[in-house]
Amino acid sequence: MTTGHLAAAAGYSVQQVRDLERLGVIPPAVRMPNGYRRFGPEHVTALRAYRALAVAVGPVEARSVMHDVQALPYDEALARVVELHSGLARARAESLAALRALDTIVDEAAHDAPALPGDAMSITELANAIGVRSSTLRFWEKEGLVAPERIERTTVRSYSPAAARDARIVAALRAGGYRIPAVRAVMAAIGTGDGTGAARDALHERLRTIAAQSEALLRAGTDIAALIGNGTARSANSSPTTAAAMARSSPSPRVGTADDF
């Protein structure tokens, strides 16, 4: 098929197909004696795999993976895809752990005695309690995520039980894979009286996103296995004379179009 036919079949523009071939995302096209590109079903498979990978891990990583799986030995190519599944599995485990941490925070808040003036913690005490560095707490304060008090006439920070709770929620969200801007939005919602509900909703949304990524990665893996299992990509990459021989044995089109180049 021509470049235009491949673009239409895969849902890409002609220029995107050319760019993705140049980047090694799809196997090299066979070049006819007149210079026209010719593509086959394996190129549709490769483009479909790339589209699903872009959903699963983002376009930059997807391009890297597609290039690698076509160049690496078969077992290493499969391992490259398995690593992506492992990464998503870790992300899911982290989000579930963050949800469990939120449950603990809620349970403690429901059963703890009312806070007393002496219940405040120093920055070192809080950092040790939640497993982060003191510099991390200072950074969170700078980003508006946690608001400690200052001991009168000093620069020493004091974290009330409410501030300590906020720090624990931030730690849970960060452990669940949320970046600072997303954490800030959640903490702002909590500040309006939503309690930990906003944080819980955010983590559930994160889990739904990971599930969608995992599904896309499964689809990509099926196409990648088909692509590299038949040796098409490797033969095209490793034996340029094969492509030339195929071109010589294929009939040349009588009339070319811009899509052919």
Side-chain angles (χ1 to χ4, degrees), residues 3 74 114 209 253-254:
T3 308
Y74 184 74
T209 298
R254 295 183 178 180

Side-chain angles (χ1 to χ4, degrees), residues 18-85:
R18 292 171 181 154
D19 290 341
L20 293 173
E21 182 195 9
R22 176 176 53 82
L23 293 169
V25 171
I26 63 175
V30 172
R31 286 285 186 166
M32 306 299 288
N34 56 12
Y36 295 161
R37 291 178 173 89
R38 283 297 178 267
F39 299 94
E42 69 276 9
H43 296 94
V44 178
T45 300
L47 287 174
R48 190 170 56 230
Y50 170 69
R51 187 187 298 278
L53 273 178
V55 172
V57 297
V60 174
E61 179 69 3
R63 288 194 292 271
S64 174
V65 171
M66 289 302 298
H67 178 273
D68 289 349
V69 298
Q70 296 176 79
L72 292 170
Y74 184 74
D75 59 332
E76 294 181 28
L78 293 181
R80 183 78 167 86
V81 179
V82 171
E83 289 173 0
L84 302 179
H85 284 287

